[in-house]
Every structure is written in C-alpha cells, then in structure tokens.
Amino acid sequence: MNVIFLGPPGAGKGTQAQRICDALNIPQISTGDILRRAMKEETPTGLKAKQYVEAGKLVPDEVIIDIVRERLAMDDCQNGYILDGFPRTVPQAEALDTIAKIDVVVDLDVADEVLINRLSGRRVCLACGATYHVDHLNGETKCAKCGETLIQRKDDSAETVLNRLNVYHEQTAPLVDYYQKKGNLKVIDGAQDMDTIFESILTVVKG
Ligand code: ADP
Ligand code: ZN
C-alpha cells in the first residue's frame, strides 16, 4: 500500500502518518525529517537545504526528488510506505509518477487560522520525529517517546509560518486537483479530534 499524505503545514500529517505506519508496519517517509536530520549532521544535502528550510521556502525539486528516489528504492519500502511532505509541487508529483504507483492520497484539510496556532506552539524531536504542542507539554522538555530534548523548529517562528502557508497555497494546493483528477484522493477533515482522524484515515487506507 503506497500512500501520500497531503495537507498544509501543521495539518497533523506527521503525527497521523506515524500512527498509521505503526498500525500497518510500513515506513513513514517524511522529507522534512530527512532534511532536518541532514541539516543537523551537516551533510552536503543538509547544507544545501538549510537556507531554504529555515526561510520556509521549498528545497529545489531536483534535490528532493533524488532523496525520495533513493529512499523508495530501499528494501523496507517494498511492502508499502507513507509519503509525508512529498510531493509538494506539480513537478514533484510528475516525477513521482515515474518512480512509484500510488494507491491512495489522503488530504488532511485544516483552516489557516488553526494552522497558525498549531505551528507556533509546536515542539519537535529531531531524533524520532515526534511532535508536541506546548499547551500539552506542561513544561516537559524531553521527548516522551525517546527522551531526546525537544526543540522549536526555526521555521515555526511566526513570520516564517505565514510564508509556509503562502507557499502551500501557491505550490502544493494544486496537487489536490492533480490527484482528484486521477481519482485516488480522499479528503479528511483535519479539524476533528486526533483519534477520529486516525480511524478515518485507517479506513480509507485499508480501502
Ligand atoms: P511542514 O509540513 O510542517 O511544513 P515539513 O517537515 O514537511 O513541515 O517540511 C519542512 C520544510 O522542509 C519545508 O518548509 C521545506 O523547506 C522542506 N521540504 C520538506 N519537504 C519538501 C518537498 N517535498 N519539497 C521541497 N521542500 C521540502
Ligand atoms: Zn523522540
């Protein structure tokens, strides 16, 4: 089962992708996580990506397409995966069409006002990709899953958040139409509670 998670930044793609992947025992391929790890380790890709990611801009298509192509060729992807954060532009989607056959595209739909609040209060674990909201952390500074110190992403600062939402509306939202036309798009209301969203996604992914 090859699945894409679409949706604006802060829609909950990462959290839900992690839960669905655990339930189905398939890997979660988060291009954002891959880039953040590469930046932390200062690999050539990480150094190239840093200026874009921190400004809330998209990394050039050819960079990200190569990363995904390599990742999808690995053994653990042969029984399915969830792509979380890729594709994000029409050229990325067209490239993906030549690499993989996608079964379902899940679009998590959330209004901009909600997203701004979620993103500006978000804390993340760079080690395992888990995300939290300050409102629920009660002052806790470590990841409940792996114990690593939580950080606020540079691109979750107020002005960069607005930039990312603009980028989403201009470059990524057209993919909703792209997959609608192909007939494999499932829209889920991302403003519902997390367990309801999880069950809805599981149902559409299992078909
Ligand atoms: P969010 O969905 O919360 O914006 P991600 O972790 O998916 O966060 O992405 C963070 C940043 O990484 C993006 O703003 C962008 O700079 C870069 N990035 C991730 N995926 C892609 C992609 N498919 N194409 C280009 N840039 C990407
Ligand atoms: Zn962690």
Side-chain angles (χ1 to χ4, degrees), residues 26-135:
I26 54 176
Q28 170 190 9
I29 300 170
S30 160
T31 44
D33 284 352
I34 293 172
L35 291 173
R36 279 186 290 281
R37 243 167 263 149
M39 284 161 54
K40 192 180 179 196
E41 289 163 13
E42 302 186 323
T43 67
T45 304
L47 294 172
K48 215 183 296 175
K50 190 176 161 83
Q51 50 174 323
Y52 299 99
V53 174
E54 291 188 347
K57 295 181 183 160
L58 295 183
V59 170
D61 286 337
E62 54 289 4
V63 174
I64 206 82
I65 289 166
D66 282 348
I67 291 176
V68 171
R69 191 195 311 277
E70 274 176 29
R71 183 65 189 84
L72 294 186
M74 290 179 185
D75 279 350
D76 65 332
C77 290
Q78 306 319 309
N79 294 319
Y81 46 79
I82 293 180
L83 280 168
D84 159 21
F86 181 94
R88 251 173 156 97
T89 64
V90 171
Q92 289 180 18
E94 288 169 348
L96 181 62
D97 283 340
T98 71
I99 301 173
K101 159 127 186 27
I102 299 301
D103 301 297
V104 190
V105 180
V106 175
D107 177 34
L108 267 182
D109 188 35
V110 184
D112 281 6
E113 307 80 75
V114 179
L115 298 172
I116 291 168
N117 170 276
R118 287 193 192 166
L119 290 168
S120 43
R122 180 159 73 176
R123 297 295 179 270
V124 305
C125 172
L126 287 182
C128 77
T131 64
Y132 304 85
H133 194 281
V134 275
D135 289 354

Side-chain angles (χ1 to χ4, degrees), residues 18 124-130 132 142-150:
Q18 200 167 41
V124 305
C125 172
L126 287 182
C128 77
Y132 304 85
K142 304 279 185 212
C143 176
K145 287 201 155 185
C146 76
E148 186 77 20
T149 301
L150 300 174

Side-chain angles (χ1 to χ4, degrees), residues 9-10 50-58 88 115-116 119-120 122 152-168:
K50 190 176 161 83
Q51 50 174 323
Y52 299 99
V53 174
E54 291 188 347
K57 295 181 183 160
L58 295 183
R88 251 173 156 97
L115 298 172
I116 291 168
L119 290 168
S120 43
R122 180 159 73 176
Q152 176 170 38
R153 282 166 44 177
K154 272 217 179 98
D155 61 339
D156 280 344
S157 70
E159 80 249 33
T160 310
V161 163
L162 294 181
N163 204 2
R164 284 159 62 208
L165 288 177
N166 285 334
V167 168
Y168 171 78

